[in-house]
Amino acid sequence: MAITSANQLELLQTAEAVAREKMIDPGLVIEAMEESLARAAKSRYGAEMDIRVSIDRKTGRATFTRIRTVKGEPELENYQAEMTIEAAKQTLGTQGKDYIVVSGMSQPEAEDEEPQPIRRFLLRTPSDLDRALAEGVDQDTAPADGDELVDEVPPVEMGRIAAQSAKQVILQKVREAERDRQYEEFKDRAGTIINGLVKREEYGNVIVDIGAGEAVLRRNEKIGRESYRPGDRIRVYIKDVRREQRGPQIFLSRTAPEFMAELFKMEVPEIYDGIIEIKAVARDPGSRAKIAVISYDGSIDPVGACVGMRGSRVQAVVNELQGEKIDIIPWNDDQPTFLVNALQPAEVSKVVLDEEAGKIEVVVPDEQLSLAIGRRGQNVRLASQLTGLDIDILTEEEESARRQAEFEERTKLFMDTLDLDEFFAQLLVSEGFTSLEEVAYVELDELLVIDGVDEGTAGELQARARDFLEEQNRKALEHARELGVEDSLVNFEGLTPQMIEALAEDDVKTLEDFATCADWELAGGWTTVDGERVKDDGILEKFDLSLEEAQDMVMSARIALGWVDPAELAAEDEDGDASEAADETEEAGA
């Protein structure tokens, strides 16, 4: 039983039937058939021959041809598939068959020119000459290096082994075509919801039939208490589509926050139309979720639109998520306000935001603490995911105790350093003074507003503060020099004696050492390790040095050392400003 022995039209019908069944291009099936027939022919005529098969797409006729490439060298690597120019001339001159000569690429005369294909024809008849001249081909038709001589050979009948091999080739090609079609179909559908049919479960993972193939819902992507049986219908989110060696892999999810967002988009027309936007989603799958929404139409309430009449819209999403409770929260660009909304239903008394550290402190009434934290910390965890901030929750009592401790600490500082009694030190703290520097260098009028303080007393306070600070500076500088600090660092503008002492204790003793420091090494910062924010302590962090200030100081040190040209730096800044201005203009035009 051989493909070549079948009716020619039946060959095309078979290709179309296979293509229709597998939903692939019939041309791919025919190409697989051509390759399988070429393999069978090579087993018949010789594996070293270059045998090719072409199936006519209209009639189904299979043409078997042998290709021999003309080589300019006298020594050939494969005598079955190559021939010398002399042998080609002899073959063309002695045989009466019509040969097709196809050349390669032209050699460009200049480096910037691209190689061009050359078409050559055998001038055996006047019609050949007319055709060649019409194509603008030189009449010199001698065989050249790279030409291919194409000679038709008799078709072969395939035996049982050859037919089996051909079948394997066709099946392999069809599988590859199926995989490519499946990947092309689903690669752009990542991030959307699809309905599927449960086929089976393997090691906790659910294999889902999605129509044009199979996808996998991993056990960690299932909502905790869900279980499925073969034949169950399931709605899932396409999380990722990857092209892998074994074929395209489609990964599904029901726990992804995006799944909830897509469900709301399906249930709420205003979200689909872009009138309402989902800004953030945080989920504890199967238990509770928070979703932040904003309306771009002042007449539409985003929360009410998502809830729907008598809760119909949100209830549809809740039912799909196995009863997961959903808090719908209005989005606000002001982070503290948004956080207050996110912590609902708990009431918040006060919010203190540390933008640089990405942390926020929330003060709640004592009776609201458990509600704000939630069961097993669920409420505050979801609020943290929603806002992207680390949240510390304090009760009013805890916050009051902390403030009292700070008050006492500052009172003691002023008592010890300025030789004041407790009452006077408390007056300073009550008026908002937090450090000796503030007392020493503040305008005199700001001290005179304190009850019982006249010009003489204010002057004496400032003199004591300055004397204490100068003594501290002297000791710090003396200690730094003992540690080996050089004058280049001592004389650098912007560094206080205490800063120089801290640098020396960290083995930064010269201006060169300072210039090699990174801004975060000086000012400290936050990095994310394994999904958690980790604090990096800076050498000068205790002096309230910001990253921008650290960056400027390091750059000034590099300029002072001649490592950086200030003119080039200014030019780069101008280019950056011009680029930003162009972007803003483009955005405004859009």
Short mmCIF file of all heavy atoms in Angstrom, two decimals, residues 7-21 26 29-30 33 55 57-60:
data_model
loop_
_atom_site.label_atom_id
_atom_site.label_comp_id
_atom_site.label_asym_id
_atom_site.label_seq_id
_atom_site.Cartn_x
_atom_site.Cartn_y
_atom_site.Cartn_z
N ASN A 7 -5.06 6.90 -6.22
CA ASN A 7 -5.55 7.85 -7.20
C ASN A 7 -5.02 9.24 -6.85
O ASN A 7 -5.00 9.63 -5.69
CB ASN A 7 -7.08 7.85 -7.19
CG ASN A 7 -7.67 8.77 -8.23
OD1 ASN A 7 -7.66 9.98 -8.05
ND2 ASN A 7 -8.16 8.19 -9.31
N GLN A 8 -4.61 10.01 -7.89
CA GLN A 8 -3.99 11.31 -7.63
C GLN A 8 -4.94 12.27 -6.94
O GLN A 8 -4.56 13.00 -6.02
CB GLN A 8 -3.50 11.90 -8.96
CG GLN A 8 -2.34 11.10 -9.56
CD GLN A 8 -1.95 11.60 -10.94
OE1 GLN A 8 -2.67 12.39 -11.54
NE2 GLN A 8 -0.82 11.13 -11.44
N LEU A 9 -6.19 12.31 -7.35
CA LEU A 9 -7.16 13.20 -6.70
C LEU A 9 -7.43 12.75 -5.27
O LEU A 9 -7.70 13.56 -4.38
CB LEU A 9 -8.47 13.23 -7.49
CG LEU A 9 -8.40 13.99 -8.82
CD1 LEU A 9 -9.72 13.87 -9.56
CD2 LEU A 9 -8.08 15.46 -8.58
N GLU A 10 -7.32 11.43 -5.05
CA GLU A 10 -7.54 10.90 -3.70
C GLU A 10 -6.48 11.41 -2.74
O GLU A 10 -6.73 11.62 -1.55
CB GLU A 10 -7.51 9.37 -3.76
CG GLU A 10 -8.09 8.70 -2.52
CD GLU A 10 -8.12 7.18 -2.68
OE1 GLU A 10 -8.47 6.70 -3.78
OE2 GLU A 10 -7.75 6.51 -1.71
N LEU A 11 -5.26 11.66 -3.29
CA LEU A 11 -4.17 12.21 -2.49
C LEU A 11 -4.56 13.58 -1.94
O LEU A 11 -4.38 13.88 -0.77
CB LEU A 11 -2.91 12.31 -3.35
CG LEU A 11 -1.56 12.36 -2.65
CD1 LEU A 11 -1.29 11.06 -1.92
CD2 LEU A 11 -0.46 12.61 -3.69
N LEU A 12 -5.12 14.43 -2.79
CA LEU A 12 -5.54 15.76 -2.38
C LEU A 12 -6.71 15.68 -1.41
O LEU A 12 -6.78 16.43 -0.42
CB LEU A 12 -5.94 16.60 -3.59
CG LEU A 12 -4.82 16.95 -4.59
CD1 LEU A 12 -5.38 17.76 -5.74
CD2 LEU A 12 -3.70 17.73 -3.91
N GLN A 13 -7.62 14.77 -1.65
CA GLN A 13 -8.78 14.61 -0.77
C GLN A 13 -8.34 14.18 0.63
O GLN A 13 -8.88 14.64 1.64
CB GLN A 13 -9.76 13.60 -1.36
CG GLN A 13 -10.47 14.11 -2.61
CD GLN A 13 -11.24 13.02 -3.33
OE1 GLN A 13 -11.21 11.85 -2.92
NE2 GLN A 13 -11.93 13.37 -4.40
N THR A 14 -7.34 13.28 0.67
CA THR A 14 -6.82 12.83 1.96
C THR A 14 -6.19 14.00 2.72
O THR A 14 -6.41 14.18 3.93
CB THR A 14 -5.76 11.72 1.75
OG1 THR A 14 -6.36 10.65 1.03
CG2 THR A 14 -5.22 11.22 3.08
N ALA A 15 -5.41 14.81 2.00
CA ALA A 15 -4.76 15.97 2.62
C ALA A 15 -5.80 16.94 3.17
O ALA A 15 -5.67 17.45 4.29
CB ALA A 15 -3.84 16.67 1.63
N GLU A 16 -6.85 17.19 2.40
CA GLU A 16 -7.89 18.12 2.84
C GLU A 16 -8.65 17.58 4.05
O GLU A 16 -9.01 18.32 4.97
CB GLU A 16 -8.86 18.40 1.69
CG GLU A 16 -8.25 19.28 0.60
CD GLU A 16 -9.19 19.47 -0.59
OE1 GLU A 16 -10.33 18.96 -0.50
OE2 GLU A 16 -8.78 20.11 -1.55
N ALA A 17 -8.89 16.26 4.06
CA ALA A 17 -9.62 15.66 5.18
C ALA A 17 -8.80 15.76 6.47
O ALA A 17 -9.33 16.10 7.54
CB ALA A 17 -9.93 14.19 4.86
N VAL A 18 -7.50 15.45 6.37
CA VAL A 18 -6.63 15.54 7.55
C VAL A 18 -6.55 16.99 8.04
O VAL A 18 -6.64 17.26 9.24
CB VAL A 18 -5.21 15.00 7.23
CG1 VAL A 18 -4.25 15.28 8.39
CG2 VAL A 18 -5.27 13.51 6.94
N ALA A 19 -6.41 17.92 7.10
CA ALA A 19 -6.31 19.34 7.46
C ALA A 19 -7.59 19.83 8.13
O ALA A 19 -7.56 20.59 9.09
CB ALA A 19 -6.00 20.18 6.23
N ARG A 20 -8.73 19.36 7.62
CA ARG A 20 -10.02 19.78 8.18
C ARG A 20 -10.19 19.21 9.60
O ARG A 20 -10.65 19.90 10.50
CB ARG A 20 -11.14 19.29 7.27
CG ARG A 20 -12.42 20.09 7.38
CD ARG A 20 -13.36 19.88 6.22
NE ARG A 20 -13.42 18.50 5.76
CZ ARG A 20 -13.04 18.12 4.54
NH1 ARG A 20 -12.58 19.01 3.67
NH2 ARG A 20 -13.11 16.86 4.18
N GLU A 21 -9.78 17.96 9.78
CA GLU A 21 -9.92 17.32 11.08
C GLU A 21 -9.04 18.00 12.13
O GLU A 21 -9.46 18.21 13.26
CB GLU A 21 -9.56 15.84 10.97
CG GLU A 21 -9.67 15.09 12.28
CD GLU A 21 -9.13 13.66 12.16
OE1 GLU A 21 -8.91 13.18 11.03
OE2 GLU A 21 -8.93 13.04 13.21
N PRO A 26 -4.18 22.87 4.57
CA PRO A 26 -3.96 21.68 3.74
C PRO A 26 -2.57 21.66 3.10
O PRO A 26 -2.00 20.58 2.86
CB PRO A 26 -5.05 21.78 2.67
CG PRO A 26 -6.11 22.63 3.28
CD PRO A 26 -5.40 23.59 4.17
N VAL A 29 -0.09 19.70 5.06
CA VAL A 29 -0.23 18.24 4.94
C VAL A 29 0.42 17.78 3.64
O VAL A 29 1.11 16.75 3.59
CB VAL A 29 -1.71 17.84 5.00
CG1 VAL A 29 -1.85 16.31 4.91
CG2 VAL A 29 -2.36 18.35 6.27
N ILE A 30 0.20 18.54 2.56
CA ILE A 30 0.78 18.17 1.26
C ILE A 30 2.31 18.24 1.34
O ILE A 30 3.02 17.38 0.79
CB ILE A 30 0.24 19.08 0.15
CG1 ILE A 30 -1.26 18.80 -0.04
CG2 ILE A 30 0.99 18.86 -1.15
CD1 ILE A 30 -1.94 19.70 -1.05
N MET A 33 3.49 15.19 2.90
CA MET A 33 3.44 14.09 1.94
C MET A 33 4.62 14.15 0.98
O MET A 33 5.24 13.12 0.66
CB MET A 33 2.13 14.14 1.16
CG MET A 33 0.90 13.80 1.98
SD MET A 33 -0.61 13.92 0.99
CE MET A 33 -1.81 13.20 2.12
N ILE A 55 4.04 17.91 -5.42
CA ILE A 55 2.68 17.46 -5.70
C ILE A 55 1.87 18.64 -6.23
O ILE A 55 1.79 19.69 -5.57
CB ILE A 55 2.00 16.88 -4.44
CG1 ILE A 55 2.77 15.63 -3.96
CG2 ILE A 55 0.55 16.53 -4.70
CD1 ILE A 55 2.24 15.05 -2.66
N ARG A 57 -0.99 20.98 -6.75
CA ARG A 57 -2.09 21.28 -5.84
C ARG A 57 -3.46 21.15 -6.51
O ARG A 57 -4.48 21.10 -5.82
CB ARG A 57 -1.96 22.70 -5.29
CG ARG A 57 -1.23 22.86 -3.95
CD ARG A 57 0.08 22.17 -3.84
NE ARG A 57 0.81 22.51 -2.61
CZ ARG A 57 1.98 22.04 -2.31
NH1 ARG A 57 2.58 21.16 -3.12
NH2 ARG A 57 2.58 22.38 -1.19
N LYS A 58 -3.50 21.09 -7.84
CA LYS A 58 -4.79 20.98 -8.53
C LYS A 58 -5.09 19.55 -8.97
O LYS A 58 -6.20 19.06 -8.85
CB LYS A 58 -4.80 21.90 -9.75
CG LYS A 58 -4.77 23.39 -9.38
CD LYS A 58 -4.84 24.25 -10.63
CE LYS A 58 -4.84 25.74 -10.25
NZ LYS A 58 -4.88 26.61 -11.44
N THR A 59 -4.05 18.89 -9.54
CA THR A 59 -4.29 17.55 -10.09
C THR A 59 -3.88 16.43 -9.14
O THR A 59 -4.34 15.29 -9.28
CB THR A 59 -3.52 17.37 -11.41
OG1 THR A 59 -2.11 17.43 -11.13
CG2 THR A 59 -3.89 18.48 -12.40
N GLY A 60 -2.97 16.73 -8.20
CA GLY A 60 -2.49 15.69 -7.29
C GLY A 60 -1.34 14.89 -7.86
O GLY A 60 -0.86 13.96 -7.22
#
